[in-house]
Amino acid sequence: MEKKIGVYICTDCEIGSSLDIDKLTKVAIKQKASVVKTHPSLCQKEGVEFIKRDMAQEGVNAVIIAACSSRVNYDVFNLGIPLVERVNLREGVVWTHTPNDEDTQMMAEDYIRMGILKMQKMEAPEPYKVENLSKNVLVVGGGLAGITAANEAAKAGYDVFLIEKNDSLGGWMTKIYKQAPTKPPYTDMEEPFINNLIKEIQQNPKIKIYTSSLIEKIEGSPGIYDVTVKQNGNLETFRAGAIVEAAGTVPYDATKIIHLGFGKYPNVVTNYMMEDMTLKGTIVRPSDGKPVKSVAFIQCAGQRDENHLPYCSATCCVESLKQAKYIRLQDPDSKAYIFYRDMRTPGHYEYFYKSMQNDAGVFLTKGDVIGITEDENKNLAIEVENTLLGEKIRVNADLVVLATGMVPVTALGEEILPPGVKPGDEFIPYVMIETDILNLVYRQGGEVPVLVNGYPDSNFICFPYETRRTGIYAAGSVRAPMDISSTIIDATGAALKAIQCIELTARGEALHPRVGDISYVDIFMQKCTQCKRCTEECPFGAINEDEKANPLYNPTRCRRCAICMGACPERIMSFKNYSVDMIGNMVKNIEVPEEEEEKPRAIVFVCENDAYPALDMAGLHRLSYNPFIRVVPLRCIGSMNLVWVADALSKGIDGILLLGCQYGEDYQCHMATGSHLAKIRLSKVAETLDRLKLESGRVQMTQVSISEYHKIPQILDEFMEKLKGFGPNPYKGF
Amino acid sequence: MADATVIKPDLDFVKGIIASGGESLKKCYQCATCSVVCNVTPDNKPFPRKEMVWAQWGLKEKFIGNPDVWLCHQCNDCTVYCPRGAKPGEVLGAIRKQSIQQYSAPGFMTRLVNNKKFVPILFLFPAVLFAIVLSAAGTFHIPGGEIVFSKFFSVHLIDPIFAAAFFFGIGVGILGITKFWRDMCQACRNDSIPSGVTTGDLKGSIIETIKEILSHNKFKDCVVSRDRYLAHFLVFYSFIALGITTALAVFYLYILKIESPYSLITPLKLIGNIGAIALFVGINLMVINRFKNAGKVGIGSYFDWLLIFIIYVIVVSGILSELTRLADIAGLAYPIYFIHLVFVFSLFLYLPYSKLAHLFYRTTAICYAKYSKRQ
């Protein structure tokens, strides 16, 4: 169908009083828009009707709204057609620049021009729908997290496959005597409720439980995961839509904590062994079986320690307080010592801590345990320094309990880096630990990439509950150390994310952070050179490879970030409404004034996720910034293709600035690695600039977060100042 | 492992403190706000933070020869600012009681004095004792004629009995502070309380101590309970006035050979009556202050209230016995006088075991602190 473009310029919100609207209209007409109209207030009911009337009567099927930012009124301007483009004249132009000024006018005209060019290159995307999609949820792990996720998914109406490698369900929760308080007044220990939960899911016909089972392999992608399970030597295959990875943890190997005497002295045990002992009856000294009269708990044993686990396992303080209660209940004259580094009892556990602290027989002090010795009767002496008692002390005890931490099962394997990446490299796109949990058939490896310490987490700020594999959600203590209550919340959240994934996939829509986006990548395979850049750089492992290294794209794994589009040197990765050609065309058509006019031009490629909202917020706060820049929003700064740099500079643009999210260790990129990849690509731009005989400083990248809107004017001014130093681009006028 | 202190918590000691007014003891989490807000503590190793952790851990031996618990004047500024409701003021009060129990022999007397259960015994003992003595003397009835208390309870009986009680109390107290002083010297050598070097000037320290006590300046450092300054000042000086009165009475009786009752305008009566009024005002202020600050710092323990009660009865019965005597109401005057004597006797007898023992131990601790340059 012929595209008929209508441009609608709103004159409300100071747009009409700050710009020459007639001139804008002329620009749009010149740019071959079929219909160009103005309206005093487009976002009002009459304004929307005004556009709809044209759609019905004039056959306008591609609408450009030149008004406010695309981040506002998106619901108002939902016109029921796929081709709607917004030109940001309000936040981007009139609220941030001098009204009725020549430079402000030129900026608005450029944006109108770019909007129309974009629309001319845009095609209506059609959602990608998979055949034989499964709405079942696969839950890996039958502990508290897995059981909760299965239960919640089933309650929401979804069938669940629950895989447990042991012969019974329940995990660690079945191995404890009592559980820490979960309900008011938060001072009393509780009977573990896991057995009730196990019964509940066993009776639920929507949950199919596989015990003594392991996953042989998982092929496919969200909506169409083909899972092969091995149970007692038999293989079974079924299809699932999304995966909750709740594989849990194992205790840290206490024999590694040499200085605390585990394995050397029989009366030094771990917190896990203490539970076991209590569960079996009386707490006794392993050396002689005599009931214990005094226990010393050593917190953070092999934790928060660079030589062991660098992190806090979140539960041990409360668990040790609970175990102190075991011993105090067993013998009212007993003594329980707790040596801690910091007592960490967040939330309601504070009440439990206070109640235990109030027990006359519980002796607490901060301190560093230096060592443990044993006498001829196997009695232990614990030496502690830096105590609250103001001196180095020695305490005798019948039993020492080490509060050892938890290690996610995802960390129990060899660390492998992507091909060509060495440890210590500046950029490590992902770290995979080879375990035997999911066995994904993915080009980037069989498990989920780990973030730190072997946890298969993603950056939590931008990806709550998420891993770096679309449709796979880690939950419970395999994702981060957590207690019972947090595990339940986490598993519930993961189950809901899995369901969300299934439903969005069924509609052919993208997941977070581009929820609802129906565009997906078209690969122009004839031009592919099998360079593997796309398969290696995709942060979500969406692209597999065939044996000839041709990319095999899995649309339902794709987050539509277009990092592959930025990566591809052949420019064959395109979306219907977002392509190298489209952005290149916009860039090339920015009007560049003659050198004598002393009006420089710079393009600012802006990440839509953080930097673009920051620009909008600068507008909302009426911060004024440089009028010589032209903002081009990108889905992710990682979708920046280097050809645009050449396009722009060869047209006389003086410089290019990239505004992306923070990268590196504490990255904030919504697409995980996009901003880092952009930075790396930029480092290779020098070659292009050399060819054009231009200074490499003309192309730069700055990290900006959404809250840093107040820095925007300064960032832009400083960049423009730097460009001034290089003088005008000699390609102007070509 | 040579330099580590072996720690052996005494669970009973912890329970003892909890039972005697320090029930909030275990709530402390050692933030040291108490030591920061305390205006009375020395700067070096300040109290009460360290005392709180020692007490929590049942480290009884740490309190042997510890002057700090006695340097505390229980302003309760610590208690007000404590973020955890651990009430260090109350806890130190409970520890002081343990300290009295430890030093005032025999130790069970403090337990007796401090236990609500035994309160009837405390006062029945002197009452019965007096009844026996008076019955033996044949005066255990209300005498006729002009009211002369000596007709009922002869001064020649009172003096030996009360002198015995008084000197018993003083004697036990002196024995206690001697032991306390020795322990403080020992503790000082062990360096558990930093005290630097001694000045060697014991006399100077004593004079300084007396000056400090007479001036009551320490009470002015308190913030929350600043009002206690006046109350304690009045009670303290009225005790001195009443002490002088007693001394004058002895002088009148045995030197001048003048028997009571005396004219209201004699120096003896003037000083005595002014003292009685000051004591009445002072003790009432103490009670009022306690109720006023109860919300912030707690109402105090049984130990505190027992002493207040004894003093209150003494001053009220003393004033009433004089008034009823002057009003010539024999039926009231003699019984009230009897009660008065019972309580005065109790005050003397229980002096080293009740809260009043602080006059021995706090004085000694202040003196030792000065002597040992505890700053």
Side-chain angles (χ1 to χ4, degrees), chain A residues 315-342:
Chain A
T315 60
C316 324
C317 285
V318 174
E319 290 300 296
S320 290
L321 287 167
K322 187 189 79 181
Q323 293 179 349
K325 193 152 183 159
Y326 292 169
I327 193 80
R328 291 283 300 140
L329 288 177
Q330 177 173 308
D331 179 353
D333 292 324
S334 62
K335 291 170 190 163
Y337 305 97
I338 301 180
F339 302 111
Y340 59 85
R341 276 163 64 192
D342 301 285

XYZ file of all heavy atoms in Angstrom, chain A residues 315-342:
234
model
N 21.855 -15.374 55.489
C 20.992 -16.078 56.443
C 21.698 -16.490 57.735
O 21.031 -16.808 58.711
C 20.440 -17.364 55.802
O 21.546 -18.195 55.430
C 19.609 -17.070 54.581
N 23.027 -16.522 57.723
C 23.750 -17.190 58.817
C 23.565 -16.530 60.174
O 23.545 -17.224 61.193
C 25.230 -17.271 58.497
S 25.566 -17.548 56.780
N 23.455 -15.206 60.219
C 23.298 -14.552 61.522
C 22.015 -15.039 62.186
O 22.000 -15.402 63.356
C 23.280 -13.029 61.366
S 24.923 -12.353 61.055
N 20.955 -15.044 61.398
C 19.669 -15.483 61.943
C 19.717 -16.979 62.274
O 19.221 -17.415 63.318
C 18.529 -15.170 60.951
C 17.217 -15.754 61.428
C 18.402 -13.674 60.758
N 20.363 -17.759 61.404
C 20.455 -19.196 61.654
C 21.239 -19.484 62.931
O 20.876 -20.365 63.707
C 21.119 -19.900 60.461
C 20.241 -19.929 59.216
C 18.927 -20.663 59.435
O 18.960 -21.876 59.692
O 17.861 -20.012 59.385
N 22.316 -18.754 63.167
C 23.095 -18.996 64.381
C 22.308 -18.592 65.625
O 22.366 -19.281 66.646
C 24.421 -18.237 64.331
O 25.255 -18.818 63.363
N 21.571 -17.505 65.537
C 20.717 -17.114 66.669
C 19.704 -18.222 66.948
O 19.437 -18.570 68.092
C 19.983 -15.805 66.355
C 20.836 -14.538 66.364
C 20.062 -13.380 65.738
C 21.268 -14.161 67.774
N 19.188 -18.787 65.863
C 18.203 -19.864 65.998
C 18.846 -21.086 66.641
O 18.285 -21.706 67.543
C 17.680 -20.205 64.591
C 16.548 -21.171 64.548
C 16.249 -21.597 63.113
C 17.245 -22.640 62.650
N 17.026 -23.077 61.265
N 20.071 -21.400 66.193
C 20.747 -22.569 66.752
C 21.177 -22.312 68.201
O 21.232 -23.245 69.007
C 21.938 -22.942 65.871
C 21.468 -23.435 64.503
C 22.606 -23.810 63.578
O 23.769 -23.529 63.839
N 22.264 -24.466 62.477
N 21.440 -21.038 68.525
C 21.724 -20.711 69.926
C 20.490 -21.017 70.771
O 20.584 -21.481 71.901
C 22.106 -19.237 70.052
N 19.349 -20.793 70.172
C 18.103 -21.097 70.885
C 17.957 -22.613 71.082
O 17.477 -23.053 72.127
C 16.909 -20.534 70.116
C 15.639 -20.527 70.928
C 14.699 -19.410 70.486
C 13.471 -19.349 71.339
N 12.796 -18.067 71.307
N 18.364 -23.389 70.067
C 18.313 -24.853 70.220
C 19.038 -25.258 71.499
O 18.544 -26.024 72.301
C 19.031 -25.567 69.064
C 18.417 -25.482 67.690
C 19.153 -25.912 66.574
C 17.125 -25.012 67.462
C 18.634 -25.864 65.298
C 16.600 -24.958 66.181
C 17.361 -25.377 65.101
O 16.864 -25.327 63.828
N 20.245 -24.718 71.647
C 21.093 -25.167 72.753
C 20.575 -24.622 74.081
O 20.585 -25.313 75.104
C 22.579 -24.779 72.495
C 23.511 -25.521 73.461
C 22.834 -23.303 72.613
C 23.785 -26.911 73.033
N 20.030 -23.421 74.049
C 19.502 -22.823 75.282
C 18.239 -23.532 75.738
O 17.941 -23.584 76.926
C 19.227 -21.337 75.068
C 20.480 -20.490 74.886
C 21.210 -20.214 76.179
N 20.374 -19.503 77.124
C 20.342 -19.735 78.434
N 21.089 -20.669 78.970
N 19.543 -19.023 79.218
N 17.477 -24.062 74.766
C 16.276 -24.819 75.135
C 16.650 -26.211 75.630
O 16.001 -26.773 76.490
C 15.320 -24.915 73.940
C 14.604 -23.622 73.557
C 13.745 -23.830 72.316
C 13.739 -23.099 74.704
N 17.719 -26.747 75.062
C 18.143 -28.082 75.466
C 18.626 -28.062 76.922
O 18.393 -28.991 77.668
C 19.258 -28.579 74.535
C 19.819 -29.937 74.929
C 20.804 -30.462 73.888
O 20.492 -30.515 72.699
N 21.979 -30.856 74.318
N 19.324 -26.987 77.316
C 19.865 -26.917 78.665
C 19.838 -25.458 79.132
O 20.574 -24.622 78.617
C 21.309 -27.447 78.644
C 21.953 -27.395 80.024
O 21.335 -26.840 80.959
O 23.081 -27.897 80.151
N 18.995 -25.138 80.118
C 18.863 -23.734 80.549
C 20.144 -23.162 81.160
O 20.291 -21.941 81.257
C 17.755 -23.770 81.607
C 17.196 -25.145 81.588
C 18.110 -26.051 80.856
N 21.065 -24.027 81.565
C 22.321 -23.528 82.121
C 23.419 -23.439 81.069
O 24.568 -23.121 81.379
C 22.789 -24.431 83.268
C 21.857 -24.323 84.472
O 21.359 -23.203 84.721
O 21.615 -25.351 85.124
N 23.059 -23.748 79.836
C 24.078 -23.738 78.781
C 24.414 -22.304 78.377
O 23.675 -21.369 78.686
C 23.567 -24.503 77.567
O 22.419 -23.850 77.072
N 25.539 -22.189 77.702
C 25.967 -20.878 77.232
C 26.178 -20.936 75.717
O 26.757 -21.889 75.211
C 27.284 -20.483 77.902
C 27.126 -20.211 79.378
C 28.464 -20.068 80.044
C 28.294 -20.046 81.555
N 29.550 -20.306 82.242
N 25.704 -19.898 75.070
C 25.919 -19.807 73.625
C 26.657 -18.510 73.335
O 26.189 -17.424 73.688
C 24.579 -19.829 72.897
N 27.831 -18.634 72.769
C 28.616 -17.455 72.399
C 28.463 -17.240 70.902
O 28.510 -18.196 70.128
C 30.102 -17.672 72.686
C 30.403 -18.061 74.108
C 30.575 -19.396 74.456
C 30.534 -17.088 75.085
C 30.853 -19.764 75.759
C 30.817 -17.443 76.390
C 30.971 -18.782 76.734
O 31.247 -19.136 78.012
N 28.298 -16.000 70.508
C 28.256 -15.710 69.072
C 29.292 -14.632 68.770
O 29.223 -13.523 69.302
C 26.853 -15.269 68.607
C 25.834 -16.377 68.919
C 26.857 -14.965 67.112
C 24.403 -16.060 68.517
N 30.254 -14.992 67.964
C 31.289 -14.039 67.545
C 30.974 -13.614 66.120
O 31.005 -14.428 65.208
C 32.676 -14.680 67.618
C 33.007 -15.183 68.995
C 33.103 -16.543 69.254
C 33.202 -14.292 70.032
C 33.392 -17.011 70.529
C 33.493 -14.748 71.314
C 33.588 -16.120 71.561
N 30.662 -12.364 65.975
C 30.223 -11.901 64.660
C 31.089 -10.755 64.169
O 31.836 -10.150 64.935
C 28.753 -11.453 64.719
C 28.463 -10.342 65.707
C 28.637 -9.020 65.340
C 28.023 -10.622 66.983
C 28.382 -7.999 66.231
C 27.765 -9.603 67.892
C 27.946 -8.290 67.507
O 27.692 -7.275 68.390
N 30.970 -10.490 62.887
C 31.644 -9.307 62.338
C 30.668 -8.154 62.258
O 30.998 -7.014 62.545
C 32.262 -9.627 60.984
C 33.631 -10.275 61.171
C 34.094 -10.963 59.928
N 34.295 -10.013 58.854
C 34.481 -10.396 57.596
N 34.471 -11.686 57.289
N 34.667 -9.508 56.669
N 29.455 -8.453 61.860
C 28.346 -7.503 61.949
C 27.129 -8.379 62.143
O 27.009 -9.369 61.445
C 28.143 -6.719 60.644
C 29.367 -5.936 60.253
O 29.620 -4.920 60.885
O 30.067 -6.360 59.317
